[in-house]
């Protein structure tokens, strides 16, 4: 409701929650819960919400309304949708001011994923790595990039840097191999 107030739209939080409930019931959106690593608990609120289909987002917001600031979210939504379609359960992890975009798990196999449009400088790379480096286990960790032009993609401290396209193709191939 605070966000809407910036555009001079008054709406009670309870009304917004009701609309979100209806959108989830109609399978337009779904939630991914946030997990507090420090407190070892799921947050009751602050879920991360995604569209089941980006086309639905375009219908609601307008097909020509993708603002450049929306692109990272749309890309993350595509990765999340693919992971869900391959039977992965998903969480978002928070640790103080850090967030790991996606924790995907299936059959007790976990992977940690950061999604970014591109890495333009060392600061961006360090920000994406920092969250993943907080995890002290040997499970796969990925930084997935949409734009990899001119980048040398190599593993850093056990963190794979990979194009989103390649990651999703390998995910699809491994899922079809398991059948």
């Amino acid at each position: 409701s605070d966000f809407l107030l910036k555009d001079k739209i008054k709406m009670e939080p309870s009304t917004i929650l009701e609309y979100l409930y209806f959108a989830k019931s109609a399978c337009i959106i779904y939630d991914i819960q946030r997990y507090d690593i420090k407190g070892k608990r799921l947050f009751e609120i602050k879920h991360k919400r995604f569209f089941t289909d980006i086309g639905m987002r375009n219908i609601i917001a307008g097909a020509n309304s993708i603002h450049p600031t929306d692109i990272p979210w749309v890309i993350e939504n595509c990765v999340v949708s693919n992971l869900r379609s391959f039977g992965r359960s998903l969480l978002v992890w928070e640790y103080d001011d850090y967030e790991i975009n996606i924790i995907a798990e299936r059959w007790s196999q976990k992977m940690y994923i950061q999604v970014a449009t591109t890495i333009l400088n060392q600061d961006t790379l360090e920000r994406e790595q920092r969250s993943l480096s907080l995890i002290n286990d040997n499970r796969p960790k990925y930084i997935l990039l949409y734009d990899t032009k001119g980048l040398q993609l190599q593993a850093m401290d056990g963190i794979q840097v990979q194009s989103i396209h390649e990651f999703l193709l390998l995910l699809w191939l491994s899922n079809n191999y398991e059948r």
Side-chain angles (χ1 to χ4, degrees):
S1 66
D2 291 341
F3 177 78
L4 292 174
L5 275 176
K6 292 176 190 172
D7 289 333
K8 297 181 174 50
I9 300 171
K10 271 190 157 182
M11 194 175 293
E12 292 295 318
S14 60
T15 305
I16 294 168
L17 289 172
E18 195 171 329
Y19 284 146
L20 289 171
Y21 171 78
F22 290 132
K24 286 192 306 191
S25 297
C27 298
I28 294 170
I29 64 170
Y30 55 90
D31 291 343
I32 295 181
Q33 289 186 291
R34 290 180 186 268
Y35 183 78
D36 178 16
I37 296 173
K38 219 175 189 179
K40 298 193 185 299
R41 65 183 176 90
L42 288 171
F43 285 107
E44 292 176 23
I45 57 172
K46 287 181 64 176
H47 302 318
K48 211 166 181 179
R49 292 185 171 85
F50 295 92
F51 282 91
T52 54
D53 183 338
I54 292 296
M56 293 299 291
R57 179 241 177 251
N58 292 344
I59 289 169
I60 292 167
N64 297 325
S65 69
I66 293 184
H67 190 273
T69 57
D70 292 344
I71 292 171
W73 179 86
V74 170
I75 292 167
E76 185 177 346
N77 200 128
C78 290
V79 172
V80 164
S81 293
N82 276 279
L83 287 164
R84 282 188 73 218
S85 72
F86 292 127
R88 304 298 198 277
S89 61
L90 306 174
L91 282 175
V92 175
W93 279 12
E94 278 193 14
Y95 183 81
D96 292 333
D97 292 334
Y98 300 106
E99 177 185 281
I100 297 173
N101 296 142
I102 305 164
I103 312 304
E105 186 172 3
R106 187 169 94 178
W107 301 321
S108 300
Q109 297 174 344
K110 228 180 243 184
M111 65 175 87
Y112 307 100
I113 303 168
Q114 290 292 92
V115 180
T117 308
T118 190
I119 293 178
L120 298 174
N121 55 42
Q122 191 64 26
D123 290 340
T124 306
L125 177 61
E126 287 173 6
R127 183 190 69 230
E128 298 298 338
Q129 276 183 304
R130 196 173 301 124
S131 297
L132 292 171
S133 65
L134 293 171
I135 301 167
N136 295 323
D137 67 28
N138 292 325
R139 294 183 172 126
K141 299 173 185 122
Y142 297 95
I143 296 174
L144 302 181
L145 302 174
Y146 177 73
D147 181 10
T148 58
K149 291 180 189 137
L151 295 175
Q152 298 267 335
L153 302 181
Q154 58 187 5
M156 301 167 288
D157 300 324
I159 300 170
Q160 296 292 317
V161 181
Q162 197 170 20
S163 113
I164 290 171
H165 305 89
E166 181 182 347
F167 175 82
L168 292 178
L169 175 62
L170 293 172
L171 183 68
W172 182 82
L173 290 171
S174 69
N175 190 65
N176 285 331
Y177 177 74
E178 290 170 359
R179 290 180 185 186

